[in-house]
Amino acid sequence: MSATRRAAPTLEQVAERAGVSRSTASRAINGGLRVSPEAQAAVDAAVLELGFAPNRAARSLVTRRTDSIALVIPEPDERVLSDPFFAGTINGLGSVLHETDLQLVLVMARPADVATRTVRYLRGGHVDGVVVVSHHRDDVLATELEQAGVPTVFVGRPFQHGHVRYVDVDNTAGGRMAAEHLVRAGRARIGTVAGPQDMSAGLDRLAGWSAALADAGMAADAVAYGDFTSAGGARAASRLLAEHPDLDALFVASDLMAAGALGVLADAGRRVPDDVAVVGYDNLAVATSTTPALTTVVNPVVAMARTAGGLLLDLLAGEAVPEAPVVFAPELVVRASA
Amino acid sequence: MSATRRAAPTLEQVAERAGVSRSTASRAINGGLRVSPEAQAAVDAAVLELGFAPNRAARSLVTRRTDSIALVIPEPDERVLSDPFFAGTINGLGSVLHETDLQLVLVMARPADVATRTVRYLRGGHVDGVVVVSHHRDDVLATELEQAGVPTVFVGRPFQHGHVRYVDVDNTAGGRMAAEHLVRAGRARIGTVAGPQDMSAGLDRLAGWSAALADAGMAADAVAYGDFTSAGGARAASRLLAEHPDLDALFVASDLMAAGALGVLADAGRRVPDDVAVVGYDNLAVATSTTPALTTVVNPVVAMARTAGGLLLDLLAGEAVPEAPVVFAPELVVRASA
DNA sequence: TTGTACGCGTTATCAG
DNA sequence: CTGATAACGCGTACAA
């Protein structure tokens, strides 16, 4: 049967046991300022004996703080499952939170639920602040959270304008770097597997690629779209190869999609990089375990998440945080694939 | 500056706006039973206009439920970052929770913090239930949580005895399967990179390997220990090869460690599987992206997490949940490496 | 330094 | 079906 939850000890019981009043017990427990050594000792002992832990709900009610922050990932389960990008995000945020007493609440929301359930949750005062990652064009989070006055920091530039704080990497520059690397390598016909166009990362990487090709006087018409998953990348790559058999280079907007594309190329008998050079994006662990290892653009996921967490902490502490976005510079890592 | 959080609307305000009492408003919002259609409509309208969301802290205080459950991962950040095992766990649990109104609170704790900070948090009534994964021998969670009466389900057999509910896979059988596969393949000298011996998975896989070799009349003395990370696997593998140059097969207790081992073998000029056959463990995505792809034992991470979540929900619902552990059967997937 | 008294926002009880 | 009213556990002015 359901565990018989022995009622948790209350502050009242601690006070009684220590022979002091509730308020004294409370003061002794929080900070211990303005309380006599004897009282302090008595309370400490009582806390230990009873295994007392303050009830966070009751405390929240009066302090109006929850001591927890939410990481919102508006993606279906499958993606959160398979994409190491999110592991990096969770970790970066976690490393910042470790220094504090804040707890991390993970909110994975189906895109369809974001507008209703997730917003309701976040506006309910359940968390002191929010970090949003993997934001889509139609998500209402930016406007809703700003309107509700919930301190929020985005990882990745959101579409909505207004007073939105965010941390990002220059994806346009990243796309450009990838394309320029392929141009420099003497590739003649460069295609791309782009990311979702309802996400700024997808849009920007494509734009960068496109601009670089234009600068080089090359056609930027070989484009297929994936969804940042390995399977999606494979599908997009085969469409692309079917439509443009003359391709000798591919910029794929994420390592995971690139891994899928490599499989398709191998099945098609195209050697990488001899026949087709491939550049990925992200530089997550997967980039080194593919065959051949991926030349890729570094996406500083952990650093971005850590920075976002830091900004949020500043915000919560009431410090002045400039509204200007923090934008990291991308970097190219050359491995065997291009 | 810090966002000016406009005070969240309260039930009181909703009631006033709807022209009813707090109680009626409350009933209309929860379930809507025994409330007239007019009142219901008025309240609904007021809720919408004011953007009301019930204050969870206040609600928790009286209902004694928090509508959230914790996933505890007692590992340093680096591991949570790099090990897809946890992504699978989070996802499996998330998929179960999606059906409910429960939120997932992710508690990543340094092993050193578990006994103090984490226990304090979990005992504070902040969550209705707990799922613990990656439990170590010295962790006090099992006893502490049972003592506090917090409904808990472990993924992976904990060391503490008592009324501990857990979901696991038969790691001993898995280790045995891996070894037997190598024996059947005619390998003469089989070593192992074992996992941490303060975790039941590490212990059991080693025991299974050991037993199979004993059955085959072979020596089970070529053992090195890793920490379930890729780097740790590489280190252990090179130690092993140095001490036992005659090895022609390796059972590595996790795919991540196996990936590290493959690198070492390649650097040493040993061909896989021709010179040395390698069997991994987990069958996570990494197993298919190594060169060669890994023969491995399936660790049904997502299914285990999902099952654990289901058990916890039953527990929370007050249903009778047998104390017998749920144990999955392992399965061997043969790929190129052995 | 200590204790008394009040309020945080919600749900549950019970009389109408 | 509705509306007072009493908790829930804690923090904190305020008074002593």
Side-chain angles (χ1 to χ4, degrees):
Chain A
M1 54 158 252
S2 165
T4 43
R5 300 195 67 149
R6 118 194 49 260
T10 93
L11 186 57
E12 182 82 48
Q13 297 169 28
V14 171
E16 187 181 3
R17 178 131 190 169
V20 299
S21 74
R22 262 216 322 273
S23 14
T24 301
S26 176
R27 280 187 290 256
I29 287 168
N30 313 336
L33 233 52
R34 289 194 323 202
V35 36
S36 68
E38 307 89 54
Q40 181 74 53
V43 171
D44 286 348
V47 164
L48 220 59
E49 291 169 33
L50 271 52
F52 171 78
N55 180 317
R56 209 111 159 185
R59 177 180 273 179
S60 289
L61 201 51
V62 43
T63 62
R64 304 182 141 302
R65 293 181 322 137
T66 64
D67 293 324
S68 60
I69 73 144
L71 171 62
V72 178
I73 308 183
E75 293 291 343
D77 294 3
E78 311 84 68
R79 270 212 62 204
V80 181
L81 165 73
S82 56
D83 200 330
F85 178 89
F86 298 115
T89 307
I90 292 171
N91 189 254
L93 209 52
S95 74
V96 173
L97 265 38
H98 264 319
E99 314 302 322
T100 73
D101 258 312
L102 293 169
Q103 270 302 327
L104 179 61
V105 179
L106 190 63
V107 180
M108 297 179 289
R110 299 190 187 90
D113 290 345
V114 170
T116 56
R117 198 166 141 172
T118 306
V119 164
R120 196 187 326 134
Y121 179 82
L122 296 176
R123 296 188 60 150
H126 311 141
V127 294
D128 297 337
V130 178
V131 171
V132 181
V133 67
S134 194
H135 188 247
H136 296 255
R137 180 190 284 115
D138 296 337
D139 288 348
V140 293
L141 285 170
T143 45
E144 287 272 15
L145 292 178
E146 182 187 350
Q147 183 186 330
V150 180
T152 304
V153 178
F154 284 77
V155 174
R157 175 171 50 84
F159 286 86
Q160 293 81 354
H161 298 294
H163 310 258
V164 184
R165 285 190 178 77
Y166 69 89
V167 178
D168 206 354
V169 60
D170 188 339
N171 285 296
T172 308
R176 174 181 280 279
M177 287 174 84
E180 286 173 350
H181 177 73
L182 293 169
V183 170
R184 272 198 308 274
R187 299 293 165 165
R189 188 73 176 103
I190 306 175
T192 188
V193 173
Q197 297 298 296
D198 68 338
M199 300 181 65
S200 54
L203 275 176
D204 293 354
R205 291 172 196 174
L206 177 59
W209 168 85
S210 205
L213 293 202
D215 286 356
M218 298 171 65
D221 60 337
V223 181
Y225 299 94
D227 57 0
F228 280 153
T229 71
S230 178
R235 280 193 300 274
S238 35
R239 273 202 307 277
L240 207 53
L241 288 174
E243 293 170 15
H244 307 277
D246 56 331
L247 289 174
D248 64 356
L250 224 48
F251 165 48
V252 187
S254 87
D255 289 343
L256 224 48
M257 293 201 297
L262 286 181
V264 169
L265 287 168
D267 291 348
R270 311 264 202 130
R271 290 167 305 164
V272 176
D274 303 30
D275 299 335
V276 180
V278 175
V279 176
Y281 207 111
D282 278 344
N283 193 38
L284 296 172
V286 62
T288 58
S289 64
T290 55
T291 314
L294 280 171
T295 289
T296 191
V297 180
V298 177
N299 194 7
V301 189
V302 176
M304 287 196 292
R306 198 169 296 177
T307 304
L311 288 179
L312 187 57
L313 290 186
D314 291 348
L315 232 37
L316 295 180
E319 292 177 24
V321 178
E323 282 195 15
V326 177
V327 181
F328 285 76
E331 200 172 320
L332 188 77
V333 176
V334 179
R335 297 204 182 86
S337 72
Chain B
M1 53 156 247
S2 164
T4 43
R5 300 194 68 149
R6 115 194 52 262
T10 93
L11 186 57
E12 183 80 49
Q13 298 170 28
V14 171
E16 185 181 3
R17 178 134 190 165
V20 299
S21 73
R22 261 213 323 270
S23 328
T24 301
S26 177
R27 279 187 293 256
I29 286 167
N30 313 334
L33 233 53
R34 292 194 319 204
V35 36
S36 68
E38 306 89 54
Q40 181 74 53
V43 171
D44 286 349
V47 164
L48 220 59
E49 292 169 32
L50 270 52
F52 171 79
N55 180 316
R56 210 111 159 185
R59 177 181 275 178
S60 290
L61 201 51
V62 43
T63 62
R64 306 182 139 299
R65 293 181 321 138
T66 63
D67 293 323
S68 60
I69 72 145
L71 171 62
V72 178
I73 308 183
E75 293 290 343
D77 296 3
E78 312 83 67
R79 270 213 61 206
V80 182
L81 165 73
S82 57
D83 200 328
F85 178 89
F86 298 116
T89 308
I90 292 171
N91 189 255
L93 209 53
S95 74
V96 173
L97 265 38
H98 265 319
E99 316 300 322
T100 72
D101 258 311
L102 293 169
Q103 270 302 329
L104 180 61
V105 178
L106 191 63
V107 181
M108 298 179 288
R110 298 191 187 89
D113 290 344
V114 170
T116 56
R117 200 167 139 170
T118 306
V119 164
R120 196 188 327 135
Y121 180 83
L122 296 176
R123 296 188 60 151
H126 311 140
V127 293
D128 297 337
V130 177
V131 172
V132 181
V133 68
S134 195
H135 188 247
H136 296 255
R137 179 192 284 116
D138 296 337
D139 288 349
V140 294
L141 286 169
T143 44
E144 286 272 16
L145 292 178
E146 181 187 351
Q147 183 187 331
V150 180
T152 305
V153 179
F154 283 77
V155 175
R157 174 171 52 82
F159 286 86
Q160 293 80 354
H161 299 292
H163 310 256
V164 184
R165 286 189 178 77
Y166 68 89
V167 178
D168 206 353
V169 60
D170 187 339
N171 285 296
T172 308
R176 175 180 279 280
M177 287 175 82
E180 286 173 350
H181 176 73
L182 293 169
V183 170
R184 272 198 309 274
R187 299 290 163 166
R189 188 72 176 103
I190 306 175
T192 189
V193 173
Q197 297 298 294
D198 68 337
M199 300 180 64
S200 54
L203 275 176
D204 294 355
R205 291 172 196 173
L206 177 59
W209 168 84
S210 205
L213 292 201
D215 287 356
M218 298 171 67
D221 61 338
V223 181
Y225 300 93
D227 58 359
F228 280 155
T229 70
S230 178
R235 279 193 300 273
S238 35
R239 272 202 308 277
L240 207 53
L241 289 174
E243 293 170 15
H244 306 276
D246 57 329
L247 289 175
D248 64 357
L250 225 47
F251 164 48
V252 188
S254 86
D255 289 344
L256 225 46
M257 291 201 299
L262 287 180
V264 168
L265 287 168
D267 291 349
R270 313 266 201 126
R271 290 167 306 164
V272 175
D274 303 29
D275 300 334
V276 180
V278 175
V279 176
Y281 207 111
D282 279 343
N283 194 37
L284 296 173
V286 62
T288 57
S289 64
T290 55
T291 313
L294 279 171
T295 290
T296 191
V297 181
V298 178
N299 194 6
V301 190
V302 177
M304 287 195 294
R306 198 170 297 177
T307 304
L311 288 179
L312 187 57
L313 291 186
D314 292 348
L315 231 38
L316 295 180
E319 293 177 23
V321 178
E323 280 195 17
V326 177
V327 181
F328 286 76
E331 200 173 319
L332 189 77
V333 178
V334 178
R335 298 204 181 87
S337 72

